[in-house]
Amino acid sequence: MPRLLVVNPNTTESMTAKIGAAAQAAASPGTEIIARNPAMGPVSVEGWYDEAFCLPGLLEEIARAEGEGVDGHLIACFDDPGLDAARSLANAPVVGTCEAGMRLAPLIANRFAVVTTLSRSVPTIEHLAHRYGVTERCAIRASDIPVLDLDKPGCAAEDRIVEEIQYAIRDDKAEAIVLGCAGMADLPSRLAARCGVPVIDGVAAGVRLLEGLAGLGLRTSKVGPYAPPRSKTYTGAFAKYAPE
């Protein structure tokens, strides 16, 4: 059975534990989930600036897991940070949670909506929807909840997300929902029960996609842009990130 790395690009260990538990719950019996986060970087990824600073630690964790012989990597952040760089680095397949959710949603719904955290994340998700070819079928809504508030006991985050889902069903004609943050990985079943539509978590979807790729024996192509990096020497603080 496959061994899969689920890497949270931020440094908040409690969120990594929650994501890892959701990934293991979604995995097939026998699949091993290795949930990790970098030792350095932002405590949450809430925009392009945070995304830039999460990349060195993210790629370091992927390189480490490659050396351990894992069968796939899941980037557990809905911005899909560093996805192309990770595919250049890794031989095992790499999947992003946004990509996973947006690939699965059109299989069960004609129209769907992404409900994310902060409004500043919307432009990034719009770019990704265009990349994944779902712009005409996808609405994007923000609940304006900071990422770390998702872990706060007594926070009204779930009710705010339900409110946006209801707006998406009523105003955007959404027939399914994709949760736009890996920190929401513990919510899909409760949200589906409350709102009456399918709710897709990109962490669970990504785990199942990676299991399928591993089962088919498929790995990242090394012909073209995902060929290994040519430069082997980095200087200064980035020297340790040079690909082997």
Side-chain angles (χ1 to χ4, degrees):
M1 297 300 293
R3 299 172 66 238
L4 305 178
L5 173 70
V6 177
V7 57
N8 169 21
N10 74 47
T11 60
T12 301
E13 294 182 357
S14 60
M15 187 165 289
T16 303
K18 177 170 68 173
I19 290 168
Q24 192 67 69
S28 300
T31 295
E32 179 183 353
I33 298 295
I34 304 166
R36 291 175 179 162
N37 58 262
M40 58 166 286
V43 297
S44 63
V45 178
E46 296 181 340
W48 290 320
Y49 189 83
D50 295 334
E51 181 179 329
F53 280 94
C54 84
L55 295 183
L58 166 66
L59 294 175
E60 183 177 35
E61 291 300 330
I62 289 174
R64 174 185 169 193
E66 276 285 299
E68 296 169 351
V70 301
D71 299 294
H73 309 269
L74 178 64
I75 298 176
C77 172
F78 205 76
D79 289 358
D80 287 356
L83 181 58
D84 290 322
R87 285 176 174 161
S88 299
L89 174 64
N91 289 304
V94 184
V95 171
T97 50
C98 178
E99 180 180 38
M102 287 187 174
R103 298 293 188 200
L104 264 62
L107 301 179
I108 61 170
N110 180 57
R111 286 190 56 78
F112 67 94
V114 173
V115 176
T116 189
T117 50
L118 298 177
S119 297
R120 69 185 305 164
S121 298
V122 171
T124 298
I125 298 171
E126 288 175 340
H127 287 307
L128 292 172
H130 178 75
R131 169 175 174 161
Y132 302 140
V134 296
T135 300
E136 294 182 355
R137 302 176 66 175
C138 175
I140 302 167
R141 288 184 167 271
S143 58
D144 286 319
I145 301 166
V147 170
L148 296 184
D149 280 6
L150 294 168
D151 278 350
K152 289 183 179 178
C155 176
E158 183 172 333
D159 290 338
R160 282 286 300 118
I161 295 166
V162 167
E163 185 177 13
E164 288 302 325
I165 291 174
Q166 291 170 339
Y167 289 148
I169 295 169
R170 186 191 69 191
D171 299 336
D172 304 323
K173 310 305 179 187
E175 302 150 20
I177 300 298
V178 176
L179 297 179
C181 178
M184 300 176 183
D186 59 333
L187 298 178
S189 59
R190 296 205 303 269
L191 295 173
R194 292 182 66 177
C195 299
V197 294
V199 177
I200 298 170
D201 160 45
V203 172
V207 165
R208 286 296 190 165
L209 285 174
L210 284 170
E211 286 182 336
L213 291 168
L216 292 169
L218 296 174
R219 302 177 72 78
T220 301
S221 174
K222 293 301 165 184
V223 176
Y226 294 146
R230 294 185 61 193
S231 176
K232 303 297 182 183
T233 304
Y234 296 158
T235 60
F238 289 91
K240 67 177 182 178
Y241 298 111
E244 296 181 358

mmCIF file of all heavy atoms in Angstrom, residues 46-79:
data_model
loop_
_atom_site.group_PDB
_atom_site.id
_atom_site.type_symbol
_atom_site.label_atom_id
_atom_site.label_comp_id
_atom_site.label_asym_id
_atom_site.label_seq_id
_atom_site.Cartn_x
_atom_site.Cartn_y
_atom_site.Cartn_z
ATOM 1 N N GLU A 46 -1.679 33.265 3.809
ATOM 2 C CA GLU A 46 -2.843 34.109 3.566
ATOM 3 C C GLU A 46 -2.527 35.162 2.502
ATOM 4 O O GLU A 46 -2.727 36.347 2.707
ATOM 5 C CB GLU A 46 -3.292 34.785 4.867
ATOM 6 C CG GLU A 46 -3.767 33.799 5.921
ATOM 7 C CD GLU A 46 -4.246 34.482 7.201
ATOM 8 O OE1 GLU A 46 -3.878 35.647 7.425
ATOM 9 O OE2 GLU A 46 -4.987 33.847 7.959
ATOM 10 N N GLY A 47 -2.021 34.701 1.376
ATOM 11 C CA GLY A 47 -1.729 35.635 0.299
ATOM 12 C C GLY A 47 -0.392 35.339 -0.349
ATOM 13 O O GLY A 47 0.362 34.462 0.078
ATOM 14 N N TRP A 48 -0.089 36.133 -1.378
ATOM 15 C CA TRP A 48 1.101 35.874 -2.188
ATOM 16 C C TRP A 48 2.398 36.057 -1.409
ATOM 17 O O TRP A 48 3.376 35.335 -1.637
ATOM 18 C CB TRP A 48 1.078 36.787 -3.423
ATOM 19 C CG TRP A 48 0.020 36.401 -4.408
ATOM 20 C CD1 TRP A 48 -0.351 35.136 -4.774
ATOM 21 C CD2 TRP A 48 -0.822 37.280 -5.164
ATOM 22 N NE1 TRP A 48 -1.359 35.172 -5.708
ATOM 23 C CE2 TRP A 48 -1.668 36.470 -5.972
ATOM 24 C CE3 TRP A 48 -0.945 38.670 -5.250
ATOM 25 C CZ2 TRP A 48 -2.613 37.007 -6.836
ATOM 26 C CZ3 TRP A 48 -1.897 39.204 -6.120
ATOM 27 C CH2 TRP A 48 -2.712 38.380 -6.902
ATOM 28 N N TYR A 49 2.449 37.007 -0.490
ATOM 29 C CA TYR A 49 3.668 37.227 0.287
ATOM 30 C C TYR A 49 3.979 36.006 1.149
ATOM 31 O O TYR A 49 5.105 35.494 1.147
ATOM 32 C CB TYR A 49 3.501 38.477 1.145
ATOM 33 C CG TYR A 49 4.763 38.935 1.839
ATOM 34 C CD1 TYR A 49 5.697 39.719 1.162
ATOM 35 C CD2 TYR A 49 5.015 38.601 3.171
ATOM 36 C CE1 TYR A 49 6.852 40.160 1.798
ATOM 37 C CE2 TYR A 49 6.165 39.030 3.809
ATOM 38 C CZ TYR A 49 7.081 39.815 3.118
ATOM 39 O OH TYR A 49 8.222 40.236 3.760
ATOM 40 N N ASP A 50 2.988 35.528 1.882
ATOM 41 C CA ASP A 50 3.179 34.324 2.699
ATOM 42 C C ASP A 50 3.562 33.140 1.826
ATOM 43 O O ASP A 50 4.411 32.322 2.197
ATOM 44 C CB ASP A 50 1.897 33.978 3.459
ATOM 45 C CG ASP A 50 1.507 35.036 4.478
ATOM 46 O OD1 ASP A 50 2.390 35.753 4.966
ATOM 47 O OD2 ASP A 50 0.299 35.139 4.766
ATOM 48 N N GLU A 51 2.912 33.054 0.671
ATOM 49 C CA GLU A 51 3.185 31.925 -0.227
ATOM 50 C C GLU A 51 4.653 31.888 -0.625
ATOM 51 O O GLU A 51 5.281 30.821 -0.648
ATOM 52 C CB GLU A 51 2.295 32.036 -1.461
ATOM 53 C CG GLU A 51 2.472 30.911 -2.453
ATOM 54 C CD GLU A 51 1.549 31.043 -3.640
ATOM 55 O OE1 GLU A 51 0.439 31.588 -3.483
ATOM 56 O OE2 GLU A 51 1.931 30.600 -4.742
ATOM 57 N N ALA A 52 5.226 33.052 -0.937
ATOM 58 C CA ALA A 52 6.634 33.091 -1.349
ATOM 59 C C ALA A 52 7.544 32.565 -0.241
ATOM 60 O O ALA A 52 8.505 31.824 -0.505
ATOM 61 C CB ALA A 52 7.026 34.518 -1.725
ATOM 62 N N PHE A 53 7.252 32.907 0.999
ATOM 63 C CA PHE A 53 8.127 32.513 2.093
ATOM 64 C C PHE A 53 7.888 31.090 2.579
ATOM 65 O O PHE A 53 8.703 30.550 3.324
ATOM 66 C CB PHE A 53 8.000 33.511 3.252
ATOM 67 C CG PHE A 53 8.798 34.752 3.026
ATOM 68 C CD1 PHE A 53 8.210 35.871 2.466
ATOM 69 C CD2 PHE A 53 10.146 34.804 3.329
ATOM 70 C CE1 PHE A 53 8.949 37.019 2.226
ATOM 71 C CE2 PHE A 53 10.899 35.944 3.106
ATOM 72 C CZ PHE A 53 10.299 37.065 2.553
ATOM 73 N N CYS A 54 6.810 30.472 2.172
ATOM 74 C CA CYS A 54 6.591 29.076 2.574
ATOM 75 C C CYS A 54 7.316 28.095 1.656
ATOM 76 O O CYS A 54 7.471 26.928 2.002
ATOM 77 C CB CYS A 54 5.094 28.756 2.618
ATOM 78 S SG CYS A 54 4.335 28.289 1.030
ATOM 79 N N LEU A 55 7.758 28.570 0.491
ATOM 80 C CA LEU A 55 8.254 27.633 -0.522
ATOM 81 C C LEU A 55 9.544 26.909 -0.143
ATOM 82 O O LEU A 55 9.638 25.692 -0.366
ATOM 83 C CB LEU A 55 8.419 28.354 -1.865
ATOM 84 C CG LEU A 55 7.122 28.857 -2.493
ATOM 85 C CD1 LEU A 55 7.405 29.491 -3.858
ATOM 86 C CD2 LEU A 55 6.097 27.743 -2.631
ATOM 87 N N PRO A 56 10.574 27.568 0.397
ATOM 88 C CA PRO A 56 11.786 26.804 0.723
ATOM 89 C C PRO A 56 11.521 25.649 1.679
ATOM 90 O O PRO A 56 11.975 24.522 1.450
ATOM 91 C CB PRO A 56 12.708 27.865 1.344
ATOM 92 C CG PRO A 56 12.275 29.149 0.724
ATOM 93 C CD PRO A 56 10.780 29.015 0.598
ATOM 94 N N GLY A 57 10.785 25.903 2.759
ATOM 95 C CA GLY A 57 10.497 24.830 3.706
ATOM 96 C C GLY A 57 9.633 23.736 3.104
ATOM 97 O O GLY A 57 9.830 22.547 3.374
ATOM 98 N N LEU A 58 8.658 24.134 2.286
ATOM 99 C CA LEU A 58 7.802 23.159 1.606
ATOM 100 C C LEU A 58 8.618 22.232 0.724
ATOM 101 O O LEU A 58 8.491 20.997 0.774
ATOM 102 C CB LEU A 58 6.757 23.906 0.777
ATOM 103 C CG LEU A 58 5.968 23.099 -0.256
ATOM 104 C CD1 LEU A 58 5.085 22.069 0.419
ATOM 105 C CD2 LEU A 58 5.143 24.029 -1.146
ATOM 106 N N LEU A 59 9.501 22.815 -0.094
ATOM 107 C CA LEU A 59 10.308 21.997 -1.008
ATOM 108 C C LEU A 59 11.298 21.129 -0.246
ATOM 109 O O LEU A 59 11.594 19.996 -0.661
ATOM 110 C CB LEU A 59 11.032 22.899 -2.001
ATOM 111 C CG LEU A 59 10.118 23.658 -2.970
ATOM 112 C CD1 LEU A 59 10.924 24.617 -3.832
ATOM 113 C CD2 LEU A 59 9.311 22.696 -3.842
ATOM 114 N N GLU A 60 11.788 21.632 0.888
ATOM 115 C CA GLU A 60 12.684 20.820 1.710
ATOM 116 C C GLU A 60 11.968 19.572 2.225
ATOM 117 O O GLU A 60 12.541 18.470 2.225
ATOM 118 C CB GLU A 60 13.206 21.655 2.875
ATOM 119 C CG GLU A 60 14.216 20.907 3.738
ATOM 120 C CD GLU A 60 14.774 21.776 4.844
ATOM 121 O OE1 GLU A 60 14.018 22.610 5.372
ATOM 122 O OE2 GLU A 60 15.956 21.608 5.186
ATOM 123 N N GLU A 61 10.713 19.719 2.659
ATOM 124 C CA GLU A 61 9.965 18.557 3.145
ATOM 125 C C GLU A 61 9.691 17.566 2.017
ATOM 126 O O GLU A 61 9.728 16.347 2.231
ATOM 127 C CB GLU A 61 8.655 19.009 3.795
ATOM 128 C CG GLU A 61 8.832 19.763 5.097
ATOM 129 C CD GLU A 61 9.542 18.950 6.166
ATOM 130 O OE1 GLU A 61 9.407 17.713 6.174
ATOM 131 O OE2 GLU A 61 10.251 19.558 6.983
ATOM 132 N N ILE A 62 9.413 18.069 0.820
ATOM 133 C CA ILE A 62 9.174 17.172 -0.310
ATOM 134 C C ILE A 62 10.456 16.437 -0.680
ATOM 135 O O ILE A 62 10.441 15.221 -0.943
ATOM 136 C CB ILE A 62 8.586 17.959 -1.494
ATOM 137 C CG1 ILE A 62 7.145 18.354 -1.165
ATOM 138 C CG2 ILE A 62 8.646 17.136 -2.791
ATOM 139 C CD1 ILE A 62 6.494 19.241 -2.186
ATOM 140 N N ALA A 63 11.591 17.141 -0.683
ATOM 141 C CA ALA A 63 12.869 16.488 -0.969
ATOM 142 C C ALA A 63 13.175 15.414 0.079
ATOM 143 O O ALA A 63 13.645 14.319 -0.248
ATOM 144 C CB ALA A 63 13.980 17.526 -1.015
ATOM 145 N N ARG A 64 12.902 15.720 1.334
ATOM 146 C CA ARG A 64 13.128 14.753 2.415
ATOM 147 C C ARG A 64 12.289 13.502 2.211
ATOM 148 O O ARG A 64 12.785 12.366 2.334
ATOM 149 C CB ARG A 64 12.800 15.417 3.741
ATOM 150 C CG ARG A 64 12.842 14.519 4.960
ATOM 151 C CD ARG A 64 12.361 15.314 6.163
ATOM 152 N NE ARG A 64 12.126 14.491 7.322
ATOM 153 C CZ ARG A 64 11.478 14.882 8.421
ATOM 154 N NH1 ARG A 64 11.009 16.124 8.475
ATOM 155 N NH2 ARG A 64 11.286 14.070 9.440
ATOM 156 N N ALA A 65 11.017 13.678 1.882
ATOM 157 C CA ALA A 65 10.131 12.527 1.680
ATOM 158 C C ALA A 65 10.505 11.737 0.430
ATOM 159 O O ALA A 65 10.349 10.507 0.400
ATOM 160 C CB ALA A 65 8.679 13.000 1.603
ATOM 161 N N GLU A 66 10.972 12.437 -0.610
ATOM 162 C CA GLU A 66 11.463 11.716 -1.794
ATOM 163 C C GLU A 66 12.586 10.765 -1.410
ATOM 164 O O GLU A 66 12.642 9.623 -1.872
ATOM 165 C CB GLU A 66 11.973 12.713 -2.836
ATOM 166 C CG GLU A 66 10.919 13.290 -3.732
ATOM 167 C CD GLU A 66 10.440 12.320 -4.802
ATOM 168 O OE1 GLU A 66 11.257 11.875 -5.641
ATOM 169 O OE2 GLU A 66 9.245 12.004 -4.798
ATOM 170 N N GLY A 67 13.485 11.248 -0.547
ATOM 171 C CA GLY A 67 14.587 10.406 -0.102
ATOM 172 C C GLY A 67 14.131 9.212 0.709
ATOM 173 O O GLY A 67 14.835 8.198 0.791
ATOM 174 N N GLU A 68 12.949 9.327 1.312
ATOM 175 C CA GLU A 68 12.387 8.223 2.091
ATOM 176 C C GLU A 68 11.559 7.270 1.234
ATOM 177 O O GLU A 68 11.019 6.292 1.747
ATOM 178 C CB GLU A 68 11.526 8.790 3.216
ATOM 179 C CG GLU A 68 12.326 9.606 4.231
ATOM 180 C CD GLU A 68 11.450 10.393 5.198
ATOM 181 O OE1 GLU A 68 10.220 10.446 4.992
ATOM 182 O OE2 GLU A 68 11.999 10.958 6.155
ATOM 183 N N GLY A 69 11.422 7.598 -0.056
ATOM 184 C CA GLY A 69 10.743 6.688 -0.979
ATOM 185 C C GLY A 69 9.233 6.717 -0.931
ATOM 186 O O GLY A 69 8.584 5.692 -1.194
ATOM 187 N N VAL A 70 8.634 7.870 -0.616
ATOM 188 C CA VAL A 70 7.172 7.930 -0.597
ATOM 189 C C VAL A 70 6.614 7.771 -2.009
ATOM 190 O O VAL A 70 7.318 7.962 -3.013
ATOM 191 C CB VAL A 70 6.654 9.245 0.028
ATOM 192 C CG1 VAL A 70 7.154 9.399 1.445
ATOM 193 C CG2 VAL A 70 7.007 10.451 -0.826
ATOM 194 N N ASP A 71 5.337 7.442 -2.082
ATOM 195 C CA ASP A 71 4.688 7.176 -3.363
ATOM 196 C C ASP A 71 3.907 8.374 -3.904
ATOM 197 O O ASP A 71 3.358 8.301 -5.008
ATOM 198 C CB ASP A 71 3.736 5.992 -3.211
ATOM 199 C CG ASP A 71 4.479 4.738 -2.794
ATOM 200 O OD1 ASP A 71 5.285 4.236 -3.597
ATOM 201 O OD2 ASP A 71 4.265 4.280 -1.653
ATOM 202 N N GLY A 72 3.830 9.472 -3.132
ATOM 203 C CA GLY A 72 3.123 10.653 -3.602
ATOM 204 C C GLY A 72 3.190 11.755 -2.567
ATOM 205 O O GLY A 72 3.445 11.507 -1.378
ATOM 206 N N HIS A 73 2.973 12.986 -3.030
ATOM 207 C CA HIS A 73 3.026 14.157 -2.164
ATOM 208 C C HIS A 73 1.754 14.978 -2.358
ATOM 209 O O HIS A 73 1.348 15.243 -3.499
ATOM 210 C CB HIS A 73 4.217 15.055 -2.521
ATOM 211 C CG HIS A 73 5.528 14.354 -2.617
ATOM 212 N ND1 HIS A 73 6.386 14.217 -1.544
ATOM 213 C CD2 HIS A 73 6.144 13.747 -3.675
ATOM 214 C CE1 HIS A 73 7.479 13.572 -1.930
ATOM 215 N NE2 HIS A 73 7.346 13.279 -3.210
ATOM 216 N N LEU A 74 1.148 15.424 -1.255
ATOM 217 C CA LEU A 74 -0.001 16.313 -1.306
ATOM 218 C C LEU A 74 0.370 17.637 -0.657
ATOM 219 O O LEU A 74 0.777 17.664 0.509
ATOM 220 C CB LEU A 74 -1.200 15.696 -0.584
ATOM 221 C CG LEU A 74 -2.463 16.564 -0.528
ATOM 222 C CD1 LEU A 74 -3.016 16.810 -1.924
ATOM 223 C CD2 LEU A 74 -3.518 15.932 0.361
ATOM 224 N N ILE A 75 0.227 18.743 -1.404
ATOM 225 C CA ILE A 75 0.464 20.076 -0.863
ATOM 226 C C ILE A 75 -0.841 20.543 -0.231
ATOM 227 O O ILE A 75 -1.803 20.867 -0.933
ATOM 228 C CB ILE A 75 0.940 21.034 -1.959
ATOM 229 C CG1 ILE A 75 2.272 20.550 -2.539
ATOM 230 C CG2 ILE A 75 1.080 22.454 -1.394
ATOM 231 C CD1 ILE A 75 2.776 21.381 -3.714
ATOM 232 N N ALA A 76 -0.863 20.580 1.094
ATOM 233 C CA ALA A 76 -2.107 20.840 1.827
ATOM 234 C C ALA A 76 -2.276 22.333 2.085
ATOM 235 O O ALA A 76 -2.278 22.798 3.234
ATOM 236 C CB ALA A 76 -2.140 20.042 3.124
ATOM 237 N N CYS A 77 -2.427 23.067 1.020
ATOM 238 C CA CYS A 77 -2.757 24.490 1.068
ATOM 239 C C CYS A 77 -3.522 24.792 -0.206
ATOM 240 O O CYS A 77 -3.094 24.399 -1.301
ATOM 241 C CB CYS A 77 -1.512 25.354 1.159
ATOM 242 S SG CYS A 77 -1.829 27.130 0.992
ATOM 243 N N PHE A 78 -4.648 25.486 -0.100
ATOM 244 C CA PHE A 78 -5.541 25.648 -1.250
ATOM 245 C C PHE A 78 -4.974 26.578 -2.312
ATOM 246 O O PHE A 78 -5.479 26.602 -3.439
ATOM 247 C CB PHE A 78 -6.913 26.137 -0.798
ATOM 248 C CG PHE A 78 -8.010 25.765 -1.754
ATOM 249 C CD1 PHE A 78 -8.499 24.467 -1.789
ATOM 250 C CD2 PHE A 78 -8.538 26.696 -2.626
ATOM 251 C CE1 PHE A 78 -9.505 24.109 -2.680
ATOM 252 C CE2 PHE A 78 -9.546 26.360 -3.510
ATOM 253 C CZ PHE A 78 -10.038 25.064 -3.555
ATOM 254 N N ASP A 79 -3.906 27.324 -2.008
ATOM 255 C CA ASP A 79 -3.246 28.136 -3.035
ATOM 256 C C ASP A 79 -2.385 27.283 -3.958
ATOM 257 O O ASP A 79 -1.821 27.810 -4.933
ATOM 258 C CB ASP A 79 -2.369 29.203 -2.391
ATOM 259 C CG ASP A 79 -3.181 30.300 -1.728
ATOM 260 O OD1 ASP A 79 -4.429 30.254 -1.801
ATOM 261 O OD2 ASP A 79 -2.573 31.196 -1.114
#
